[in-house]
Amino acid sequence: MSDHTLTTPAALPAAPRRKPVKVKLDRSEVVLRIISYATVTVFTLFCALPFILIVSASVSSESEIMKHGFGLLPRGFSLEAYEFIFRYPRAIIGSYVVTVVMTVAGTAIGLFIIAMTGFALQRRDFVYRNHISFFIYFTTLFSAGLAPTYIWVTQVLGLKGSYLAVFLQLLLSPWLIILMKNFARSVPWEIVESGKVDGAGDFRIFIQLAFPMLKPALATVGLFLALSYWNEWYLSSLYLGSAVEFKPLQYYLYNVINTANALKNSVAGANVTVTQLPTNTLKMASAVVATGPIILLYPFVQKYFVSGLTVGAVKG
């Protein structure tokens, strides 16, 4: 046996931990950071104060709002506006379900189609990419107008009173297709060529190679799609009206506010006094009910949204 003994890694002495070295900043850098932090703080307050005002007014008393106006703190705490909105739980829950289903399904389907279209329009081996891109861009400059679109949807397609009349019109957007096309340029062309060499088809190249590289772009475009579905009310007022039992959330809240205003301005008022109708606080409560869920969703996609806006901004 050899006289030399083997030293196991466990027998080695642990390396001493080095204390983190603090870099001393120059006075100019300290001043610059203070100014930057103060600017961001002030800007954040300017963005947050309106929402705080809306939440405060939604839980205030209508009579106190009429006397003293709106404030950052509730004036005469009252949930009367929320009670007015949720007076018919089945209607508000049905509206939430319709909006959530349309938002989720529309965002998923529209995002997949937009991603495929944008990826195809930037491929070098697609001969007619410039022609199709021109037709898509042309629709952003000129529109047929409301009357031809209404006739096409109601008489030709026969979608009057159907959720598809709203769902299909928000599914695609020329601007989002152009945005996705610019994002797709960040996918290296060598990846497409390598997929072809390995015998992969176009759809497989898109799903397995290009699609995972478009996550920031997908989050950005998906957020725009989700917001368009969630905030939609105008198309619902044109094509749905009273033909459906459960209306999208924004259109339902729009009708609630209009009903309250009509009762307040009515002479008879259906035996309801003016003080019983929280018209001012009702508007604020409707804003909270409508924007609350989408605000909770935003932090989860914020990092992708910020990085997605900068994809393709710097040319290599």
Side-chain angles (χ1 to χ4, degrees), residues 5 37 56 72 134 150 240 276 300:
T5 58
Y37 292 154
S56 173
L72 294 178
F134 171 75
Y150 184 83
L240 298 182
Q276 291 177 320
F300 295 99

Side-chain angles (χ1 to χ4, degrees), residues 201-223:
D202 291 333
F203 190 75
R204 187 175 182 182
I205 291 174
F206 169 73
I207 292 296
Q208 295 186 355
L209 300 179
F211 199 77
M213 301 183 65
L214 294 175
K215 286 184 179 180
L218 295 174
T220 304
V221 176
L223 182 62

Side-chain angles (χ1 to χ4, degrees), residues 82-96 99 232-233 236-237 240-241 245-259 282 286 289:
Y82 291 98
E83 293 176 358
F84 194 90
I85 293 177
F86 293 98
R87 179 172 297 179
Y88 304 100
R90 186 172 181 270
I92 189 69
I93 293 175
S95 297
Y96 259 114
T99 303
E232 203 291 312
W233 67 271
S236 300
S237 65
L240 298 182
E245 180 181 3
F246 299 113
K247 302 173 179 59
L249 180 63
Q250 302 286 355
Y251 184 48
Y252 174 79
L253 296 176
Y254 173 78
N255 287 335
V256 169
I257 295 176
N258 284 344
T259 301
L282 183 62
S286 300
V289 172

Side-chain angles (χ1 to χ4, degrees), residues 1 12 27 32 75-76 94 118 131 133 150 205 208 221 253 297:
M1 294 181 62
L12 294 176
R27 180 177 298 180
L32 180 61
R75 299 180 185 276
H131 300 82
S133 298
Y150 184 83
I205 291 174
Q208 295 186 355
V221 176
L253 296 176
L297 175 65

Side-chain angles (χ1 to χ4, degrees), residues 24-225:
K24 188 176 182 180
L25 300 177
D26 296 336
R27 180 177 298 180
S28 58
E29 294 180 353
V30 174
V31 173
L32 180 61
R33 289 196 177 189
I34 293 175
I35 295 176
S36 301
Y37 292 154
T39 303
V40 171
T41 302
V42 171
F43 182 75
T44 303
L45 290 176
F46 272 110
C47 295
L49 285 178
F51 188 76
I52 296 175
L53 180 64
I54 291 175
V55 176
S56 173
S58 67
V59 294
S60 297
S61 172
E62 178 73 14
S63 58
E64 293 295 325
I65 292 294
M66 296 293 293
K67 292 179 182 179
H68 306 287
F70 299 102
L72 294 178
L73 297 178
R75 299 180 185 276
F77 184 81
S78 173
L79 297 177
E80 187 178 2
Y82 291 98
E83 293 176 358
F84 194 90
I85 293 177
F86 293 98
R87 179 172 297 179
Y88 304 100
R90 186 172 181 270
I92 189 69
I93 293 175
S95 297
Y96 259 114
V97 171
V98 169
T99 303
V100 170
V101 171
M102 290 184 64
T103 301
V104 174
T107 301
I109 298 174
L111 191 59
F112 188 71
I113 297 176
I114 290 174
M116 284 196 299
T117 306
F119 177 71
L121 292 178
Q122 63 84 35
R123 289 188 55 164
R124 302 176 186 175
D125 55 348
F126 185 32
V127 181
Y128 300 103
R129 64 182 186 277
N130 292 330
H131 300 82
I132 297 179
S133 298
F134 171 75
F135 283 116
I136 294 175
Y137 178 70
F138 184 81
T139 59
T140 63
L141 302 177
F142 301 96
S143 175
L146 178 60
T149 303
Y150 184 83
I151 295 174
W152 169 260
V153 173
T154 57
Q155 298 184 10
V156 179
L157 299 180
L159 296 179
K160 177 68 174 179
S162 173
Y163 291 115
L164 290 177
V166 179
F167 183 83
L168 294 178
Q169 293 192 63
L170 298 175
L171 193 62
L172 297 176
S173 170
W175 181 75
L176 292 180
I177 293 176
I178 296 173
L179 189 64
M180 181 61 72
K181 176 187 174 183
N182 294 331
F183 285 146
R185 290 177 182 174
S186 61
V187 178
W189 176 249
E190 291 76 11
I191 292 181
V192 179
E193 292 181 335
S194 65
K196 288 185 175 181
V197 171
D198 293 336
D202 291 333
F203 190 75
R204 187 175 182 182
I205 291 174
F206 169 73
I207 292 296
Q208 295 186 355
L209 300 179
F211 199 77
M213 301 183 65
L214 294 175
K215 286 184 179 180
L218 295 174
T220 304
V221 176
L223 182 62
F224 286 132
L225 273 176

